[in-house]
Amino acid sequence: MPQQIKKLLIVFTIIFGIFFIIKYALKPKSFGEFGHYRGLAIIENENKQVKYVGTEACNDCHDDIVSYKKEGPHVNLQCEVCHGPGYLHIQDPETNKLIIPSKREKCGICHQKNAARSENNITQVNLKEHNVENKCIDCHKAHNPYEFKD
Amino acid sequence: MDPRYESLYEALKNVHGYIYPNEISLTWSILIVEYPYITGLVAGAFILASLNRVFKIKALEPTYIISLLTAFAFLLVATMPLISHLGKPLRFWEIMITPHSTSAMAIFGFVYLWYLMIVLLLEIWFDYRYDFVIWSREKKGVMKYVYKILTLGAMGTSEKDLKWDKKIGYFITVVGIPSAFLLHGYVGFIFGSVKANPWWSSVMMPVIFLFSAMVSGIALVLFVYMGINFIRKKVQNMPTLDSIGKYLFYILIIDFTLESLDQIHRIYEANESFEILSMLVSGKLFFTLGIMQITVGTLIPLLILGFFQFFKPADKIRRIAYFLISIFVLTGVFFMRWNVVIGGQLFSKSLHGFTTYNLGFGGQEGFLMALFWMIIPFGILAFLLWLLPPWKKAVH
Protein backbone atom coordinates (compact mmCIF):
# COMPACT_ATOMS: atom_id res chain seq x y z
CA MET A 1 0.00 0.00 0.00
CA PRO A 2 1.43 3.41 -0.93
CA GLN A 3 2.44 5.57 2.03
CA GLN A 4 -0.03 8.35 1.05
CA ILE A 5 -2.97 5.97 1.50
CA LYS A 6 -1.58 4.68 4.80
CA LYS A 7 -1.25 8.21 6.23
CA LEU A 8 -4.66 9.24 4.93
CA LEU A 9 -6.26 6.18 6.47
CA ILE A 10 -4.76 7.14 9.83
CA VAL A 11 -6.01 10.74 9.51
CA PHE A 12 -9.49 9.65 8.42
CA THR A 13 -9.70 7.11 11.23
CA ILE A 14 -8.84 9.88 13.70
CA ILE A 15 -11.42 12.26 12.17
CA PHE A 16 -14.17 9.63 12.15
CA GLY A 17 -13.19 8.57 15.66
CA ILE A 18 -13.51 12.14 16.90
CA PHE A 19 -16.84 12.46 15.09
CA PHE A 20 -18.24 9.35 16.73
CA ILE A 21 -16.99 10.40 20.17
CA ILE A 22 -18.64 13.81 19.70
CA LYS A 23 -21.81 12.14 18.42
CA TYR A 24 -21.83 9.84 21.45
CA ALA A 25 -21.13 12.66 23.91
CA LEU A 26 -23.56 15.21 22.53
CA LYS A 27 -26.50 13.03 21.55
CA PRO A 28 -29.11 13.29 24.31
CA LYS A 29 -29.42 9.99 26.17
CA SER A 30 -33.15 9.63 25.63
CA PHE A 31 -32.93 10.34 21.90
CA GLY A 32 -34.72 7.73 19.77
CA GLU A 33 -36.52 6.14 22.73
CA PHE A 34 -39.96 6.55 21.12
CA GLY A 35 -39.13 8.09 17.75
CA HIS A 36 -36.81 10.55 16.10
CA TYR A 37 -36.79 12.96 19.02
CA ARG A 38 -35.65 13.26 22.63
CA GLY A 39 -37.78 10.86 24.70
CA LEU A 40 -37.45 13.03 27.81
CA ALA A 41 -39.02 15.96 25.99
CA ILE A 42 -42.47 14.43 26.62
CA ILE A 43 -41.91 14.09 30.37
CA GLU A 44 -40.38 17.57 30.59
CA ASN A 45 -43.44 19.02 28.92
CA GLU A 46 -45.74 16.97 31.13
CA ASN A 47 -44.06 18.39 34.22
CA LYS A 48 -44.54 22.00 33.18
CA GLN A 49 -46.97 23.91 35.30
CA VAL A 50 -50.38 24.37 33.71
CA LYS A 51 -51.03 28.10 33.72
CA TYR A 52 -54.46 28.24 32.12
CA VAL A 53 -57.06 26.82 34.48
CA GLY A 54 -60.17 26.89 32.26
CA THR A 55 -63.65 28.42 32.50
CA GLU A 56 -64.88 25.82 35.00
CA ALA A 57 -62.42 27.13 37.59
CA CYS A 58 -63.66 30.70 36.99
CA ASN A 59 -67.21 29.45 37.37
CA ASP A 60 -66.51 28.48 41.01
CA CYS A 61 -66.56 32.14 42.06
CA HIS A 62 -67.77 34.16 39.03
CA ASP A 63 -70.75 31.98 38.04
CA ASP A 64 -72.90 35.07 37.35
CA ILE A 65 -70.50 36.39 34.70
CA VAL A 66 -69.92 32.95 33.19
CA SER A 67 -73.62 32.30 32.75
CA TYR A 68 -74.17 35.84 31.36
CA LYS A 69 -71.37 35.24 28.87
CA LYS A 70 -73.13 32.07 27.72
CA GLU A 71 -76.01 34.19 26.40
CA GLY A 72 -73.86 36.04 23.88
CA PRO A 73 -71.54 35.29 20.97
CA HIS A 74 -68.53 34.92 23.28
CA VAL A 75 -70.06 31.68 24.57
CA ASN A 76 -67.20 29.48 23.36
CA LEU A 77 -64.46 31.87 24.39
CA GLN A 78 -62.41 30.87 27.44
CA CYS A 79 -62.25 33.62 30.08
CA GLU A 80 -58.46 33.53 30.08
CA VAL A 81 -58.26 34.46 26.39
CA CYS A 82 -58.93 38.07 27.44
CA HIS A 83 -58.01 38.00 31.12
CA GLY A 84 -54.76 36.06 30.88
CA PRO A 85 -53.65 32.87 32.69
CA GLY A 86 -55.41 32.38 36.04
CA TYR A 87 -53.26 29.83 37.90
CA LEU A 88 -51.96 32.39 40.41
CA HIS A 89 -55.33 34.12 40.74
CA ILE A 90 -57.14 30.95 41.88
CA GLN A 91 -54.50 30.41 44.59
CA ASP A 92 -54.76 33.93 45.99
CA PRO A 93 -57.41 36.13 44.31
CA GLU A 94 -56.68 39.15 46.50
CA THR A 95 -53.01 39.62 45.65
CA ASN A 96 -52.98 38.23 42.10
CA LYS A 97 -55.44 40.29 40.11
CA LEU A 98 -56.18 39.36 36.49
CA ILE A 99 -55.95 41.71 33.53
CA ILE A 100 -59.09 43.63 32.64
CA PRO A 101 -58.34 44.71 29.06
CA SER A 102 -59.86 47.98 28.01
CA LYS A 103 -57.93 49.14 24.94
CA ARG A 104 -59.50 49.05 21.48
CA GLU A 105 -56.51 47.08 20.16
CA LYS A 106 -57.22 44.21 22.56
CA CYS A 107 -60.63 43.61 20.94
CA GLY A 108 -58.92 44.14 17.60
CA ILE A 109 -56.82 41.02 18.10
CA CYS A 110 -59.90 39.10 16.94
CA HIS A 111 -62.17 41.78 15.48
CA GLN A 112 -59.84 43.99 13.45
CA LYS A 113 -60.87 43.75 9.80
CA ASN A 114 -58.59 41.28 8.09
CA ALA A 115 -59.18 39.79 4.63
CA ALA A 116 -57.71 36.51 5.77
CA ARG A 117 -60.36 36.04 8.49
CA SER A 118 -63.82 34.67 7.97
CA GLU A 119 -66.44 37.37 8.56
CA ASN A 120 -69.17 34.75 9.10
CA ASN A 121 -67.63 33.55 12.34
CA ILE A 122 -66.06 36.64 13.88
CA THR A 123 -67.49 40.12 13.47
CA GLN A 124 -64.99 42.29 11.61
CA VAL A 125 -64.62 45.97 12.44
CA ASN A 126 -62.34 48.52 10.85
CA LEU A 127 -60.75 50.03 13.97
CA LYS A 128 -59.48 52.95 11.95
CA GLU A 129 -63.03 54.05 11.10
CA HIS A 130 -65.47 52.64 13.66
CA ASN A 131 -66.18 55.05 16.52
CA VAL A 132 -62.53 56.02 16.77
CA GLU A 133 -62.82 58.32 19.77
CA ASN A 134 -64.16 55.71 22.21
CA LYS A 135 -63.09 52.45 23.74
CA CYS A 136 -65.07 49.39 22.61
CA ILE A 137 -66.22 48.71 26.17
CA ASP A 138 -67.58 52.25 26.52
CA CYS A 139 -70.59 51.01 24.50
CA HIS A 140 -70.34 47.20 24.31
CA LYS A 141 -70.58 44.83 27.25
CA ALA A 142 -67.46 42.74 26.89
CA HIS A 143 -69.08 39.53 28.12
CA ASN A 144 -72.02 39.86 25.74
CA PRO A 145 -71.00 42.47 23.16
CA TYR A 146 -74.33 42.75 21.30
CA GLU A 147 -75.78 44.24 24.47
CA PHE A 148 -74.97 47.86 25.04
CA LYS A 149 -74.26 49.76 28.18
CA ASP A 150 -76.84 52.28 29.31
CA MET B 1 -51.88 52.62 17.30
CA ASP B 2 -50.69 49.34 18.79
CA PRO B 3 -47.39 48.36 17.12
CA ARG B 4 -48.85 44.95 16.19
CA TYR B 5 -51.46 46.61 13.98
CA GLU B 6 -48.91 49.05 12.70
CA SER B 7 -46.88 46.14 11.35
CA LEU B 8 -49.99 44.38 10.01
CA TYR B 9 -51.03 47.48 8.06
CA GLU B 10 -47.43 47.87 6.90
CA ALA B 11 -47.37 44.24 5.73
CA LEU B 12 -50.76 44.47 4.00
CA LYS B 13 -49.43 47.30 1.84
CA ASN B 14 -47.17 44.69 0.20
CA VAL B 15 -50.04 42.39 -0.71
CA HIS B 16 -51.97 42.38 -3.97
CA GLY B 17 -55.02 40.22 -4.46
CA TYR B 18 -55.88 37.32 -2.15
CA ILE B 19 -53.15 35.76 -0.08
CA TYR B 20 -53.06 33.43 2.91
CA PRO B 21 -51.86 35.08 6.16
CA ASN B 22 -48.70 32.97 6.42
CA GLU B 23 -47.61 34.00 2.94
CA ILE B 24 -47.34 37.74 3.57
CA SER B 25 -43.70 37.69 4.61
CA LEU B 26 -41.17 35.42 2.91
CA THR B 27 -39.58 32.67 4.97
CA TRP B 28 -36.66 32.13 2.59
CA SER B 29 -34.66 35.30 2.16
CA ILE B 30 -31.60 36.43 0.22
CA LEU B 31 -29.44 34.03 2.25
CA ILE B 32 -31.32 31.09 0.75
CA VAL B 33 -30.68 32.65 -2.67
CA GLU B 34 -27.01 32.70 -1.87
CA TYR B 35 -26.79 29.08 -0.76
CA PRO B 36 -27.57 27.45 -4.13
CA TYR B 37 -25.55 30.21 -5.79
CA ILE B 38 -22.38 29.46 -3.84
CA THR B 39 -22.86 25.68 -4.06
CA GLY B 40 -23.27 26.11 -7.81
CA LEU B 41 -20.06 28.11 -8.07
CA VAL B 42 -18.27 25.27 -6.27
CA ALA B 43 -19.69 22.52 -8.47
CA GLY B 44 -19.08 24.54 -11.64
CA ALA B 45 -15.49 25.43 -10.80
CA PHE B 46 -14.76 21.82 -9.86
CA ILE B 47 -16.30 20.43 -13.05
CA LEU B 48 -14.13 22.81 -15.09
CA ALA B 49 -11.04 21.55 -13.24
CA SER B 50 -12.08 17.92 -13.72
CA LEU B 51 -12.80 18.26 -17.44
CA ASN B 52 -9.41 19.86 -17.72
CA ARG B 53 -7.75 16.92 -16.01
CA VAL B 54 -9.72 14.10 -17.59
CA PHE B 55 -9.70 15.46 -21.14
CA LYS B 56 -6.23 17.03 -20.78
CA ILE B 57 -7.04 20.35 -22.46
CA LYS B 58 -3.69 22.08 -22.76
CA ALA B 59 -5.02 25.64 -22.98
CA LEU B 60 -6.99 25.27 -19.73
CA GLU B 61 -4.03 24.00 -17.72
CA PRO B 62 -3.20 27.34 -16.02
CA THR B 63 -6.70 27.38 -14.55
CA TYR B 64 -6.66 23.84 -13.15
CA ILE B 65 -5.31 24.52 -9.65
CA ILE B 66 -7.05 27.91 -9.49
CA SER B 67 -10.39 26.22 -10.20
CA LEU B 68 -9.78 23.68 -7.44
CA LEU B 69 -8.77 26.31 -4.88
CA THR B 70 -11.70 28.53 -5.88
CA ALA B 71 -14.08 25.59 -5.47
CA PHE B 72 -12.57 24.82 -2.07
CA ALA B 73 -12.72 28.43 -0.83
CA PHE B 74 -16.39 28.71 -1.79
CA LEU B 75 -17.29 25.26 -0.47
CA LEU B 76 -16.05 26.20 3.00
CA VAL B 77 -18.59 29.04 3.02
CA ALA B 78 -21.42 27.28 1.15
CA THR B 79 -23.35 26.28 4.26
CA MET B 80 -22.81 29.58 6.09
CA PRO B 81 -25.75 31.47 4.51
CA LEU B 82 -27.96 28.52 5.52
CA ILE B 83 -26.65 28.54 9.06
CA SER B 84 -27.00 32.32 9.42
CA HIS B 85 -30.59 31.98 8.24
CA LEU B 86 -31.45 29.61 11.09
CA GLY B 87 -33.37 30.92 14.08
CA LYS B 88 -30.84 29.19 16.35
CA PRO B 89 -27.62 29.15 14.31
CA LEU B 90 -25.55 27.63 17.12
CA ARG B 91 -27.60 24.43 16.98
CA PHE B 92 -26.65 23.70 13.35
CA TRP B 93 -24.50 20.68 14.29
CA GLU B 94 -27.51 18.78 15.62
CA ILE B 95 -28.51 17.91 12.07
CA MET B 96 -25.26 15.94 11.82
CA ILE B 97 -25.40 14.01 15.08
CA THR B 98 -29.04 12.99 14.86
CA PRO B 99 -29.65 12.97 11.10
CA HIS B 100 -33.05 11.95 9.85
CA SER B 101 -32.89 9.69 6.83
CA THR B 102 -36.03 11.20 5.30
CA SER B 103 -34.87 14.80 5.67
CA ALA B 104 -33.51 16.16 2.40
CA MET B 105 -31.52 18.80 4.28
CA ALA B 106 -29.90 16.28 6.67
CA ILE B 107 -28.76 14.14 3.76
CA PHE B 108 -27.41 17.25 2.07
CA GLY B 109 -25.08 17.60 5.07
CA PHE B 110 -23.55 14.24 4.20
CA VAL B 111 -23.42 14.92 0.47
CA TYR B 112 -21.62 18.13 1.34
CA LEU B 113 -19.20 16.40 3.72
CA TRP B 114 -18.45 13.70 1.15
CA TYR B 115 -17.69 16.34 -1.43
CA LEU B 116 -15.58 18.47 0.92
CA MET B 117 -13.61 15.73 2.67
CA ILE B 118 -13.34 12.95 0.13
CA VAL B 119 -13.32 14.79 -3.16
CA LEU B 120 -12.02 18.35 -2.97
CA LEU B 121 -9.66 18.16 -0.01
CA LEU B 122 -8.11 14.91 -1.18
CA GLU B 123 -7.72 16.05 -4.74
CA ILE B 124 -5.98 19.25 -3.65
CA TRP B 125 -3.86 17.27 -1.19
CA PHE B 126 -2.67 14.81 -3.82
CA ASP B 127 -1.93 17.66 -6.19
CA TYR B 128 0.14 19.48 -3.60
CA ARG B 129 1.67 16.66 -1.55
CA TYR B 130 4.97 16.72 -3.43
CA ASP B 131 5.14 20.51 -3.15
CA PHE B 132 4.41 20.34 0.59
CA VAL B 133 7.43 18.07 0.99
CA ILE B 134 9.65 20.39 -1.08
CA TRP B 135 8.38 23.53 0.69
CA SER B 136 8.76 21.93 4.12
CA ARG B 137 12.43 21.46 3.27
CA GLU B 138 12.98 24.90 1.73
CA LYS B 139 11.02 27.16 4.08
CA LYS B 140 12.18 28.43 7.44
CA GLY B 141 10.45 29.16 10.72
CA VAL B 142 6.81 28.36 11.34
CA MET B 143 5.99 27.78 7.69
CA LYS B 144 8.39 24.85 7.57
CA TYR B 145 6.27 23.08 10.17
CA VAL B 146 2.98 24.15 8.62
CA TYR B 147 3.94 22.47 5.35
CA LYS B 148 5.31 19.49 7.23
CA ILE B 149 1.97 18.99 8.97
CA LEU B 150 0.20 19.38 5.64
CA THR B 151 2.18 16.43 4.22
CA LEU B 152 0.49 14.31 6.95
CA GLY B 153 3.81 12.51 7.24
CA ALA B 154 3.84 11.21 3.66
CA MET B 155 7.29 12.57 2.78
CA GLY B 156 8.19 10.30 -0.17
CA THR B 157 9.41 12.04 -3.31
CA SER B 158 10.44 9.06 -5.41
CA GLU B 159 9.16 8.46 -8.94
CA LYS B 160 6.89 5.76 -7.56
CA ASP B 161 5.35 8.10 -4.96
CA LEU B 162 4.67 10.74 -7.59
CA LYS B 163 3.07 8.16 -9.83
CA TRP B 164 0.75 7.16 -7.00
CA ASP B 165 -0.12 10.83 -6.36
CA LYS B 166 -1.12 11.18 -10.00
CA LYS B 167 -2.96 7.89 -10.18
CA ILE B 168 -5.04 8.45 -7.04
CA GLY B 169 -5.58 12.11 -7.93
CA TYR B 170 -6.94 11.02 -11.31
CA PHE B 171 -9.17 8.44 -9.66
CA ILE B 172 -10.57 11.07 -7.27
CA THR B 173 -11.24 13.40 -10.21
CA VAL B 174 -13.21 10.66 -11.94
CA VAL B 175 -15.21 10.02 -8.75
CA GLY B 176 -15.43 13.79 -8.23
CA ILE B 177 -17.31 14.56 -11.46
CA PRO B 178 -20.44 12.59 -10.52
CA SER B 179 -20.02 13.89 -6.94
CA ALA B 180 -20.08 17.49 -8.17
CA PHE B 181 -23.15 16.64 -10.26
CA LEU B 182 -24.70 15.08 -7.16
CA LEU B 183 -23.86 18.08 -4.96
CA HIS B 184 -25.56 20.60 -7.14
CA GLY B 185 -28.17 18.35 -8.70
CA TYR B 186 -29.20 17.73 -5.11
CA VAL B 187 -29.70 21.45 -4.46
CA GLY B 188 -31.96 21.57 -7.50
CA PHE B 189 -33.71 18.45 -6.26
CA ILE B 190 -34.55 20.11 -2.93
CA PHE B 191 -36.42 22.85 -4.80
CA GLY B 192 -37.77 20.62 -7.56
CA SER B 193 -39.36 18.28 -5.05
CA VAL B 194 -41.50 20.93 -3.34
CA LYS B 195 -44.65 19.65 -4.99
CA ALA B 196 -46.94 22.34 -3.57
CA ASN B 197 -45.09 25.08 -5.42
CA PRO B 198 -45.78 25.17 -9.16
CA TRP B 199 -42.83 27.52 -9.80
CA TRP B 200 -40.40 24.99 -8.31
CA SER B 201 -41.96 21.60 -8.76
CA SER B 202 -40.33 20.36 -11.94
CA VAL B 203 -38.15 17.36 -12.69
CA MET B 204 -36.05 19.68 -14.85
CA MET B 205 -34.95 21.60 -11.74
CA PRO B 206 -31.86 19.50 -10.84
CA VAL B 207 -30.64 19.56 -14.45
CA ILE B 208 -31.24 23.28 -14.84
CA PHE B 209 -29.48 23.97 -11.54
CA LEU B 210 -26.57 21.81 -12.61
CA PHE B 211 -26.00 23.52 -15.93
CA SER B 212 -26.43 27.01 -14.53
CA ALA B 213 -23.95 25.94 -11.84
CA MET B 214 -21.45 24.95 -14.48
CA VAL B 215 -22.00 28.27 -16.28
CA SER B 216 -21.47 30.27 -13.08
CA GLY B 217 -18.46 28.18 -12.01
CA ILE B 218 -16.72 28.66 -15.34
CA ALA B 219 -17.49 32.39 -15.23
CA LEU B 220 -16.09 32.57 -11.70
CA VAL B 221 -12.86 30.83 -12.70
CA LEU B 222 -12.57 33.22 -15.65
CA PHE B 223 -13.07 36.16 -13.30
CA VAL B 224 -10.64 34.85 -10.67
CA TYR B 225 -8.02 33.87 -13.25
CA MET B 226 -8.10 37.33 -14.85
CA GLY B 227 -8.12 38.97 -11.42
CA ILE B 228 -5.07 36.99 -10.27
CA ASN B 229 -3.15 37.84 -13.43
CA PHE B 230 -4.10 41.48 -13.03
CA ILE B 231 -2.99 41.62 -9.39
CA ARG B 232 0.24 39.74 -10.13
CA LYS B 233 0.79 42.04 -13.15
CA LYS B 234 1.07 39.07 -15.50
CA VAL B 235 0.02 39.05 -19.13
CA GLN B 236 -3.36 37.40 -19.69
CA ASN B 237 -2.89 34.16 -21.56
CA MET B 238 -5.23 34.64 -24.54
CA PRO B 239 -5.47 30.97 -25.64
CA THR B 240 -6.55 30.13 -22.08
CA LEU B 241 -9.15 32.91 -22.04
CA ASP B 242 -10.43 31.88 -25.48
CA SER B 243 -10.65 28.30 -24.32
CA ILE B 244 -12.62 29.15 -21.17
CA GLY B 245 -14.79 31.43 -23.31
CA LYS B 246 -15.45 28.56 -25.72
CA TYR B 247 -16.56 26.19 -22.93
CA LEU B 248 -18.61 28.93 -21.31
CA PHE B 249 -20.33 29.45 -24.66
CA TYR B 250 -21.15 25.74 -25.09
CA ILE B 251 -22.47 25.24 -21.58
CA LEU B 252 -24.39 28.52 -21.72
CA ILE B 253 -26.18 27.30 -24.86
CA ILE B 254 -27.17 24.06 -23.13
CA ASP B 255 -28.24 25.95 -20.01
CA PHE B 256 -30.32 28.44 -21.99
CA THR B 257 -31.91 25.65 -24.02
CA LEU B 258 -32.86 23.67 -20.91
CA GLU B 259 -34.33 26.70 -19.15
CA SER B 260 -36.25 27.67 -22.28
CA LEU B 261 -37.51 24.09 -22.59
CA ASP B 262 -38.78 24.25 -19.01
CA GLN B 263 -40.58 27.55 -19.70
CA ILE B 264 -41.98 26.44 -23.06
CA HIS B 265 -43.26 23.30 -21.41
CA ARG B 266 -45.04 25.39 -18.77
CA ILE B 267 -46.50 27.68 -21.41
CA TYR B 268 -47.72 24.81 -23.58
CA GLU B 269 -49.07 22.85 -20.64
CA ALA B 270 -50.76 26.02 -19.28
CA ASN B 271 -52.16 24.31 -16.19
CA GLU B 272 -54.07 26.08 -13.45
CA SER B 273 -50.99 27.89 -12.11
CA PHE B 274 -50.09 29.33 -15.50
CA GLU B 275 -52.01 32.58 -15.17
CA ILE B 276 -50.40 33.60 -11.88
CA LEU B 277 -46.95 32.51 -13.07
CA SER B 278 -47.23 34.55 -16.26
CA MET B 279 -48.29 37.55 -14.17
CA LEU B 280 -45.30 36.88 -11.93
CA VAL B 281 -42.87 36.73 -14.84
CA SER B 282 -44.20 39.83 -16.56
CA GLY B 283 -44.68 41.76 -13.32
CA LYS B 284 -42.71 41.21 -10.14
CA LEU B 285 -39.92 39.24 -11.80
CA PHE B 286 -39.67 41.36 -14.93
CA PHE B 287 -36.47 43.09 -13.88
CA THR B 288 -34.70 40.14 -12.23
CA LEU B 289 -35.76 37.56 -14.83
CA GLY B 290 -36.30 39.44 -18.08
CA ILE B 291 -33.52 42.00 -17.74
CA MET B 292 -30.93 40.56 -15.36
CA GLN B 293 -31.13 36.80 -15.88
CA ILE B 294 -32.10 36.49 -19.54
CA THR B 295 -30.76 39.65 -21.15
CA VAL B 296 -27.68 40.54 -19.11
CA GLY B 297 -26.81 37.07 -17.82
CA THR B 298 -27.55 35.00 -20.90
CA LEU B 299 -28.30 36.73 -24.23
CA ILE B 300 -25.57 39.38 -24.17
CA PRO B 301 -22.82 36.89 -23.15
CA LEU B 302 -24.14 34.38 -25.72
CA LEU B 303 -24.06 36.95 -28.50
CA ILE B 304 -20.56 38.17 -27.66
CA LEU B 305 -19.14 34.68 -27.10
CA GLY B 306 -20.86 33.45 -30.27
CA PHE B 307 -19.34 36.34 -32.19
CA PHE B 308 -15.88 35.41 -30.85
CA GLN B 309 -16.27 31.86 -32.20
CA PHE B 310 -16.26 33.25 -35.74
CA PHE B 311 -14.37 36.53 -35.53
CA LYS B 312 -11.42 37.35 -33.34
CA PRO B 313 -11.18 41.06 -32.53
CA ALA B 314 -7.95 42.46 -31.04
CA ASP B 315 -6.69 40.85 -27.81
CA LYS B 316 -7.43 43.95 -25.77
CA ILE B 317 -11.07 44.01 -26.82
CA ARG B 318 -11.44 40.29 -26.13
CA ARG B 319 -9.81 40.68 -22.72
CA ILE B 320 -12.22 43.40 -21.68
CA ALA B 321 -15.14 41.46 -23.16
CA TYR B 322 -14.23 38.27 -21.29
CA PHE B 323 -13.93 40.15 -18.03
CA LEU B 324 -17.29 41.83 -18.52
CA ILE B 325 -18.89 38.56 -19.63
CA SER B 326 -17.67 36.82 -16.47
CA ILE B 327 -19.34 39.52 -14.35
CA PHE B 328 -22.52 39.47 -16.48
CA VAL B 329 -22.82 35.70 -16.26
CA LEU B 330 -22.12 35.66 -12.52
CA THR B 331 -24.79 38.33 -12.03
CA GLY B 332 -27.21 36.50 -14.32
CA VAL B 333 -26.89 33.21 -12.45
CA PHE B 334 -27.27 34.99 -9.11
CA PHE B 335 -30.57 36.38 -10.38
CA MET B 336 -31.54 32.94 -11.67
CA ARG B 337 -31.29 31.70 -8.07
CA TRP B 338 -33.13 34.82 -6.93
CA ASN B 339 -35.96 34.19 -9.38
CA VAL B 340 -36.29 30.60 -8.22
CA VAL B 341 -36.07 31.17 -4.47
CA ILE B 342 -37.75 34.57 -4.09
CA GLY B 343 -40.01 34.21 -7.15
CA GLY B 344 -41.41 30.95 -5.80
CA GLN B 345 -42.59 32.67 -2.64
CA LEU B 346 -44.02 35.85 -4.17
CA PHE B 347 -47.31 34.33 -5.30
CA SER B 348 -49.99 32.85 -3.08
CA LYS B 349 -50.80 29.14 -3.04
CA SER B 350 -54.36 30.31 -3.65
CA LEU B 351 -52.99 31.37 -7.08
CA HIS B 352 -54.89 34.65 -6.62
CA GLY B 353 -52.46 37.10 -5.14
CA PHE B 354 -48.93 38.33 -4.63
CA THR B 355 -46.77 39.51 -1.80
CA THR B 356 -43.59 41.57 -1.98
CA TYR B 357 -40.06 40.86 -0.81
CA ASN B 358 -38.35 43.76 0.91
CA LEU B 359 -34.63 43.19 1.26
CA GLY B 360 -33.44 44.78 4.49
CA PHE B 361 -30.03 46.42 4.67
CA GLY B 362 -28.75 45.17 8.02
CA GLY B 363 -29.91 42.43 10.36
CA GLN B 364 -29.65 38.67 10.34
CA GLU B 365 -31.08 38.26 6.84
CA GLY B 366 -30.19 41.60 5.30
CA PHE B 367 -28.07 42.75 2.41
CA LEU B 368 -24.95 43.23 4.55
CA MET B 369 -25.04 39.65 5.83
CA ALA B 370 -25.41 38.33 2.27
CA LEU B 371 -22.56 40.56 1.09
CA PHE B 372 -20.41 39.34 3.97
CA TRP B 373 -20.78 35.69 2.93
CA MET B 374 -20.04 36.65 -0.67
CA ILE B 375 -16.79 38.43 0.24
CA ILE B 376 -15.44 35.87 2.72
CA PRO B 377 -14.72 33.17 0.06
CA PHE B 378 -12.52 35.64 -1.82
CA GLY B 379 -10.60 36.24 1.43
CA ILE B 380 -10.20 32.49 1.92
CA LEU B 381 -9.11 32.14 -1.71
CA ALA B 382 -6.49 34.86 -1.23
CA PHE B 383 -5.20 33.02 1.84
CA LEU B 384 -5.12 29.70 -0.04
CA LEU B 385 -3.25 31.30 -2.93
CA TRP B 386 -0.73 32.65 -0.45
CA LEU B 387 -0.38 29.31 1.35
CA LEU B 388 -0.46 27.14 -1.76
CA PRO B 389 0.74 29.37 -4.62
CA PRO B 390 0.03 27.49 -7.88
CA TRP B 391 2.79 29.49 -9.63
CA LYS B 392 5.39 28.10 -7.23
CA LYS B 393 4.40 24.49 -7.76
CA ALA B 394 7.20 22.22 -8.90
CA VAL B 395 6.97 20.98 -12.48
CA HIS B 396 6.82 17.22 -12.46
Side-chain angles (χ1 to χ4, degrees), chain A residues 2-5 7-8 11-12 15 19 22-23 26-27 31 36 105 108-109 112 114-116 126 128, chain B residues 1-2 5 9 21 93 97-100 117-118 122 125-126 129 152-156 161 164-165 168:
Chain A
Q3 58 161 334
Q4 294 95 312
I5 300 282
K7 303 286 179 189
L8 279 177
V11 172
F12 271 80
I15 292 175
F19 174 76
I22 291 176
K23 187 175 154 75
L26 291 182
K27 194 170 148 183
F31 190 88
H36 198 82
E105 283 76 20
I109 292 174
Q112 163 60 35
N114 182 344
N126 190 340
K128 278 187 163 177
Chain B
M1 191 187 260
D2 190 304
Y5 295 108
Y9 277 107
W93 48 270
I97 61 161
T98 55
H100 202 301
M117 301 280 293
I118 310 292
L122 280 192
W125 187 76
F126 276 107
R129 194 197 61 84
L152 302 177
M155 300 290 281
D161 290 324
W164 270 113
D165 281 344
I168 304 170

Side-chain angles (χ1 to χ4, degrees), chain A residues 65-142:
Chain A
I65 302 180
V66 172
S67 58
Y68 178 59
K69 188 168 77 74
K70 277 184 187 160
E71 292 167 18
H74 282 171
V75 51
N76 290 323
L77 209 58
Q78 292 283 325
C79 308
E80 288 159 296
V81 170
C82 301
H83 295 290
Y87 72 114
L88 291 176
H89 179 70
I90 57 167
Q91 286 165 15
D92 185 359
E94 289 308 315
T95 16
N96 305 310
K97 298 280 183 199
L98 286 185
I99 310 160
I100 300 175
S102 63
K103 283 189 177 163
R104 289 167 64 80
E105 283 76 20
K106 277 281 178 192
C107 307
I109 292 174
C110 298
H111 296 289
Q112 163 60 35
K113 198 170 175 55
N114 182 344
R117 212 179 260 155
S118 163
E119 204 153 342
N120 299 333
N121 297 328
I122 303 171
T123 309
Q124 304 283 289
V125 179
N126 190 340
L127 290 190
K128 278 187 163 177
E129 288 171 6
H130 179 83
N131 214 354
V132 185
E133 297 300 313
N134 299 307
K135 292 177 182 169
C136 309
I137 53 168
D138 286 348
C139 307
H140 297 274
K141 291 188 174 174

